[in-house]
Amino acid sequence: MVRRPDRAVGRDRHRRAIRAARMLGADFAYIGSAFIATAEANAVEGYKQMITASGAEDIVYSNLFTGVHGNYLKPSIVAAGMDPENLPTSDPSKMSFGTDAAGERAKPKAWKEIWGSGQGVGSIPKVLPAAELIARFKKEYDEAVDPAL
């Protein structure tokens, strides 16, 4: 029998949650959005800044952009000229990632103009080098493992 690793996903607003997930049996955790807002990430500066300025209230869950439900940053939807409170539901059978009949794109392109993010965006205060972010996560994890009395 092959054991599939149990995992905790990025939405750990406080890295103590990683320790808690490990104590509950998760083999690992993964974090995505925090690494988009690092100096080394290949993301446009506006995306990095939007992640640092956003909080959980700025997450919109929609399937409009790709046909698959995902979390998107509300300010990027607004910047694309759409109302994030009134997005239609996508019909996956009619999804087109190309152009419409006139040769134009019918809506903004996911990931290029509509930016995704996890629910932990409120814990990312600034763009910093990845090594500094990793050191922070390690320190917070170590403190959760062996808290000072």
Side-chain angles (χ1 to χ4, degrees):
M1 174 192 271
V2 176
R3 181 176 176 272
R4 182 184 63 77
D6 290 318
R7 64 210 172 277
V9 294
R11 53 190 265 180
D12 298 316
R13 186 162 225 138
H14 301 288
R15 301 306 169 236
R16 288 185 303 248
I18 296 172
R19 175 64 179 150
R22 295 272 300 151
M23 291 176 73
L24 292 171
D27 294 309
F28 62 92
Y30 65 91
I31 301 164
S33 301
F35 287 99
I36 295 170
T38 59
E40 298 87 348
N42 189 21
V44 296
E45 192 61 31
Y47 189 4
K48 294 177 184 187
Q49 293 302 324
M50 190 176 291
I51 286 176
T52 65
S54 295
E57 67 279 1
D58 295 310
I59 298 295
V60 175
Y61 185 68
S62 175
N63 75 341
L64 176 64
F65 307 107
T66 66
V68 176
H69 279 93
N71 292 325
Y72 300 95
L73 288 169
K74 187 181 293 186
S76 71
I77 297 169
V78 171
M82 303 173 81
D83 179 358
E85 304 302 326
N86 293 298
L87 294 175
T89 299
S90 176
D91 178 353
S93 70
K94 296 181 181 177
M95 289 301 296
S96 170
F97 296 100
T99 58
D100 64 14
E104 299 292 323
R105 261 192 321 168
K107 61 185 173 206
K109 189 172 184 176
W111 313 121
K112 181 173 179 168
E113 297 153 321
I114 305 296
W115 296 328
S117 184
Q119 297 161 332
V121 292
S123 66
I124 306 163
K126 63 181 180 178
V127 175
L128 59 146
E132 191 175 319
L133 180 65
I134 293 165
R136 180 186 122 197
F137 289 164
K138 181 181 183 324
K139 177 181 179 285
E140 292 173 356
Y141 180 85
D142 289 345
E143 288 171 352
V145 171
D146 189 19
L149 297 176

